[in-house]
Amino acid sequence: MLALSSTRKGQDFLQSGSSRHVQSKFMRESLLSERVKRSSEAELRLLLPDASVVQIGGKLIDGGVVTLMPVIEEIRSNLKAHKMVVAAGSGKRARHVIAVGEDLGLPTGVLAELRRLDTELNSHILGALLAPDGIAELTHAEMVRMLPAVLEISHGAVFNSVPPYDLWEQPSPTGSVTPQTGADMGAFLFADTCGVSDLIYVRDVDGLLTADPRQDSRARLIKSAGARELLKSGPKTSCIDYDVIKALTSSRLVKRILIVNGLKRGRLTAALNGENAGTVITKG
Amino acid sequence: MQMQSRSQVRLLPDAWVVKIGGQSVIDRGRKALYPLLDELVANIKAGRKLVIGTGAGTRARHIYSLAVDLGLPTGVLSTLGAGVASQNARILEWLLSSHGIPLLSPAGLSSELTFQLAERGAVVFPGMPPYAFWEHYPDMGLIPPNRTDTGCFLLAETLGVRGMIYVKDEDGLFTDDPKKNPRARFIPKITVNELLAMNLPDFVVEQQVLRFMTMAVHVRRIQIVNGLKKGNLTKALNGEDVGTVIYA
């Protein structure tokens, strides 16, 4: 039996046996039943509806001035018109440290931490290159607290696309030791939480292709596809983590993913303007 | 370094992760918590290495309700739940301060855990995983799927500890919520698959834990004990089958 606690103003909490509860819709619930989960549905607010997440793939960063500066220049040229949250992807060094760690028998959570630490270096590089434009590099904690103000002032921010999972990285259903929640998923999860206007992955290829062009000269660009149909039939090669395409089928706020070739001037700009300048993968 | 039979090493094979329930224990106040803290200290003094995680509880339920009402995304709820787990970790830290048991944040767990365990024998940490805006949405609704049971489990798995013990306010797993259904039956031992096949209306531990156990390398067994009954935690740390054991 619940009894109201004594004479506190407002009677905020209730006593049940020896337990003090704060009165609320989910009071005393384990939060694990279907009924409670269903009752926690709501229409979501968009936290950053005017911003886009633009992830720069690790390969473009590793390629140095030749591959990275065209992307940086295009980002700079779009700062006036667009708010961009620039996510730094993981590259060769991250793969190296994971390989070293796997050989040493380090657990998945530690490998995840090492990958995040390495990708932070890519984030530092992007931050340095965009510094003259007043773009700050934010830690994950700063992203949670300060991003809206930073975007208002600078129209941009740089962050580490690898999520802050670290020791809490989840075991893989495939049994692989390699940490499964990488840079591409990190950008996706952040975008789905914040309700951004677009999620754009910048790569050194035109988009999703039907095959690896180095092995099959007939490889074509897939201009547009639904996530479900892609998961059913292919493609045989993907420039973004396949888990992102899977995640898109159950996303809440991300309605589509854009992939553009950062080495071809104008493609990123077109994507920021809402056009398909590469591949569009739609939810569903 | 000794080669171990599994390719992934156990980083802290002599330590235990013990989760102290929020709603089930800490929200009950002095009557529940003081004897349990005495029992924790006794075990630490006897040489047990304990990594003590805290649940969230009734205040998390309140703020989740508020956030859902306001249409805030799951990632925001994750940061809110983490804040409540942190409050509880602080409560434990201050109550244990004369024993010099430190509180470690997620960053602290990364940089100081090994040192503090060697020096102090135990640490306290907030049980929520630090996913924040990078938390997944659940299959249904908006409550973060990876909460304090899961946070403690994932840390236990990464550290390759000796065991994962959940200290709650029921004897273990029942066929229904014993607080609401007096005819609920107690289940002392069960596999994850058997448990899922029973299709119970509610769960004694977060579903993600059951999922991850089947994929884990090290922690494939969890134990749920009633911390309101003195001696149960000690028995579990001594390897006895008290409470409910769930295994993958």
Side-chain angles (χ1 to χ4, degrees):
Chain A
M1 275 302 292
L2 283 177
L4 293 177
S5 73
S6 57
T7 52
R8 297 274 150 158
K9 185 174 96 165
Q11 291 172 326
D12 294 322
F13 42 91
L14 299 94
Q15 208 90 4
S16 158
S18 65
S19 213
R20 245 180 224 89
H21 301 278
V22 182
Q23 183 156 32
S24 76
K25 179 166 133 166
F26 298 137
M27 183 177 73
R28 295 179 70 212
E29 297 290 357
S30 71
L31 302 182
L32 301 171
S33 68
E34 295 276 295
R35 177 184 53 82
V36 174
K37 285 186 203 172
R38 222 174 289 121
S39 78
S40 76
E41 296 276 6
E43 192 168 330
L44 288 173
R45 280 175 201 280
L46 307 177
L47 301 188
L48 297 172
D50 301 329
S52 292
V53 172
V54 177
Q55 196 228 48
I56 302 183
K59 208 160 163 221
L60 287 170
I61 302 173
D62 285 338
V65 69
V66 169
T67 56
L68 185 51
M69 288 319 292
V71 183
I72 295 291
E73 291 304 332
E74 196 157 353
I75 287 173
R76 299 178 71 201
S77 70
N78 278 289
L79 279 170
K80 197 156 182 202
H82 298 285
K83 286 181 183 170
M84 288 169 280
V85 197
V86 180
S90 305
K92 279 185 219 172
R93 286 183 323 272
R95 286 192 291 279
H96 179 270
V97 76
I98 288 174
V100 170
E102 285 186 19
D103 182 57
L104 292 168
L106 287 170
T108 299
V110 173
L111 301 179
E113 184 187 27
L114 293 170
R115 174 167 59 191
R116 178 185 58 81
L117 289 171
D118 190 281
T119 310
E120 200 98 332
L121 307 178
N122 283 353
S123 183
H124 293 337
I125 286 181
L126 297 184
L129 293 172
L130 287 166
D133 299 276
I135 306 299
E137 185 203 351
L138 303 182
T139 62
H140 290 123
E142 287 163 351
M143 290 287 284
V144 169
R145 287 184 186 263
M146 291 174 54
L147 185 58
V150 168
L151 283 179
E152 195 62 29
I153 297 166
S154 312
H155 269 209
V158 171
F159 75 110
N160 187 341
S161 199
V162 174
Y165 278 32
D166 284 17
L167 305 181
W168 291 265
E169 174 60 279
Q170 302 176 353
S172 165
T174 67
S176 168
V177 167
T178 311
Q180 61 181 329
T181 324
D184 293 355
M185 268 310 287
F188 172 86
L189 289 167
F190 186 79
D192 211 20
T193 293
C194 294
V196 296
S197 62
D198 259 314
L199 171 56
I200 304 167
Y201 291 92
V202 185
R203 295 290 182 264
D204 65 344
V205 290
D206 289 344
L208 278 191
L209 306 173
T210 52
D212 183 344
R214 293 168 297 185
Q215 271 145 37
D216 184 349
S217 55
R218 292 164 305 158
R220 290 181 298 104
L221 174 68
I222 300 169
K223 286 181 113 337
S224 168
R228 265 181 229 285
E229 82 182 76
L230 274 178
L231 292 171
K232 253 188 284 185
S233 65
K236 306 289 180 288
T237 181
S238 181
C239 56
I240 65 170
D241 186 342
Y242 231 63
D243 280 349
V244 172
I245 303 177
K246 271 191 240 164
L248 186 56
T249 61
S250 55
S251 67
R252 298 296 178 94
L253 298 174
V254 173
K255 299 290 183 254
R256 63 182 195 162
I257 285 169
L258 303 172
I259 305 173
V260 297
N261 190 332
L263 301 177
K264 294 189 178 169
R265 182 92 197 195
R267 301 278 178 102
L268 174 57
T269 304
L272 288 163
N273 288 325
E275 297 158 34
N276 179 1
T279 298
V280 174
I281 309 173
T282 50
K283 181 180 159 69
Chain B
M1 235 193 105
Q2 253 189 5
M3 293 300 284
Q4 300 185 7
S5 59
R6 285 199 170 277
S7 59
Q8 278 192 73
V9 302
R10 284 185 183 263
L11 300 178
L12 292 173
D14 297 325
W16 295 78
V17 174
V18 177
K19 185 203 155 179
I20 307 298
Q23 185 164 256
S24 51
V25 179
I26 302 171
D27 286 345
R28 291 178 177 277
R30 174 191 293 255
K31 196 164 170 207
L33 195 52
Y34 272 30
L36 184 60
L37 290 177
D38 286 344
E39 195 169 346
L40 276 168
V41 169
N43 277 285
I44 294 163
K45 290 204 156 102
R48 296 277 182 215
K49 301 289 184 201
L50 302 183
V51 188
I52 304 165
T54 54
T58 193
R59 291 185 303 282
R61 277 145 187 77
H62 178 271
I63 199 147
Y64 290 156
S65 305
L66 189 55
V68 165
D69 195 48
L70 292 165
L72 294 175
T74 295
V76 174
L77 273 72
S78 179
T79 63
L80 299 173
V84 179
S86 277
Q87 292 170 342
N88 287 339
R90 294 216 160 264
I91 287 172
L92 256 59
E93 181 204 21
W94 289 122
L95 289 175
L96 293 171
S97 49
S98 62
H99 303 285
I101 293 162
L103 173 130
L104 296 181
S105 64
L109 282 167
S110 197
S111 57
E112 285 182 65
L113 176 60
T114 50
F115 171 73
Q116 296 291 359
L117 266 191
E119 285 288 303
R120 317 290 351 159
V123 304
V124 177
F125 72 99
M128 201 81 176
Y131 293 169
F133 281 18
W134 289 264
E135 167 65 304
H136 289 258
Y137 286 97
D139 291 336
M140 193 190 315
L142 289 171
I143 308 291
N146 299 290
R147 298 188 305 282
T148 52
D149 290 346
T150 308
C152 291
F153 176 85
L154 289 171
L155 187 66
E157 166 63 8
T158 294
L159 299 175
V161 296
R162 200 160 145 194
M164 175 70 239
I165 300 170
Y166 292 94
V167 181
K168 297 191 181 239
D169 61 351
E170 298 293 347
D171 288 338
L173 172 66
F174 288 78
T175 50
D176 199 353
D177 183 351
K179 292 187 184 73
K180 295 173 182 163
N181 179 358
R183 285 174 305 158
R185 271 188 306 109
F186 176 66
I187 301 167
K189 202 166 195 163
I190 192 166
T191 67
V192 169
N193 289 335
E194 286 166 353
L195 174 52
L196 293 174
M198 286 176 74
N199 234 342
L200 298 176
D202 207 342
F203 287 82
V204 69
V205 73
E206 288 159 26
Q207 286 104 326
Q208 288 288 76
V209 175
L210 302 176
R211 240 188 96 221
F212 293 143
M213 280 171 70
T214 63
M215 303 186 243
V217 170
H218 299 302
V219 183
R220 298 179 65 84
R221 175 191 185 277
I222 61 171
Q223 195 161 2
I224 300 148
V225 301
N226 189 339
L228 305 183
K229 292 185 180 166
K230 197 177 163 85
N232 278 351
L233 172 60
T234 305
K235 285 190 187 137
L237 290 168
N238 288 335
E240 292 173 44
D241 276 352
V242 62
T244 296
V245 172
I246 306 175
Y247 52 106

